[in-house]
Amino acid sequence: MTTDVKCIKCGEEKPGLAAPPFRPGTKLAPLGAEIQQKICAGCYKDWIAMSVKLVNELRLDTTDPRGQELWLKQMKIFLNLDESSDPWARHLDKRVVVETADGRSITATLIGADDHRLTFSDFDGPVPAGFEVGGNKGAGSLARDAIKTVEPAA
Ligand SMILES: [Zn+2]
């Protein structure tokens, strides 16, 4: 049976997961327990949908340790489990306007954030100059140094 959790992603009191998302006894079990305590079932479902997109668009290989690490990092950012509380990562999976350091204003969907780069997709056109093209479906990433602000698109 499920109990309500005070979800740290959406901030609401909602039913949690019926079971932790990672099997007991594995190295991810503590994280799974944390998710069951802190994240509502709806938000976890949102992450799964986002995760499928990430794996496709970034061509993440989740059988590869580096791919797994990146996947976990994106999950923690998406679910607000990352203590580093990156202000830009709050806009993950949302339409944003990116102000670049060289004064351009670009609208896209933020799909990834690691320590050095932000990754976007669904640009209003081809991947803009200066963005590193990655994966399929027109994803492109830009170094954090080259970004001035990231704001939700109106
Ligand atoms: Zn939630």
Side-chain angles (χ1 to χ4, degrees):
M1 81 162 247
T2 61
T3 38
D4 280 6
V5 296
K6 175 97 174 91
C7 177
I8 59 169
K9 168 72 179 170
C10 63
E12 289 172 44
E13 195 127 344
K14 285 186 170 170
L17 294 167
F22 303 115
R23 259 177 300 142
T26 63
K27 76 175 193 268
L28 291 178
L31 181 62
E34 191 184 353
I35 288 171
Q36 195 185 15
Q37 284 160 20
K38 295 185 179 172
I39 303 291
C40 76
C43 287
Y44 192 74
K45 222 177 111 199
D46 289 347
W47 156 246
I48 294 301
M50 177 71 185
S51 153
V52 170
K53 246 173 46 183
L54 265 178
V55 168
N56 288 336
E57 292 184 22
L58 302 180
R59 292 191 182 151
L60 268 189
D61 179 1
T62 51
T63 60
D64 170 73
R66 265 203 69 211
Q68 279 169 15
E69 204 182 300
L70 195 61
W71 184 88
L72 275 174
K73 190 167 171 57
Q74 300 299 324
M75 180 181 79
K76 288 182 188 169
I77 292 171
F78 185 84
L79 296 175
N80 286 346
L81 292 167
D82 197 6
E83 314 75 41
S84 66
S85 72
D86 175 354
W88 291 346
R90 282 186 289 122
H91 305 309
L92 269 176
D93 207 21
K94 300 214 176 79
R95 219 53 203 150
V96 292
V97 177
V98 185
E99 295 280 347
T100 62
D102 58 8
R104 287 174 297 158
S105 181
I106 292 156
T107 305
T109 303
L110 180 62
I111 60 166
D114 68 18
D115 293 344
H116 308 290
R117 310 181 73 79
L118 298 185
T119 303
F120 306 90
S121 70
D122 303 307
F123 294 97
D124 286 342
V127 177
F131 284 65
E132 189 182 306
V133 178
N136 49 2
K137 289 205 253 166
S141 67
L142 192 63
R144 284 176 182 267
D145 299 347
I147 299 171
K148 213 156 72 181
T149 60
V150 179
E151 300 287 346

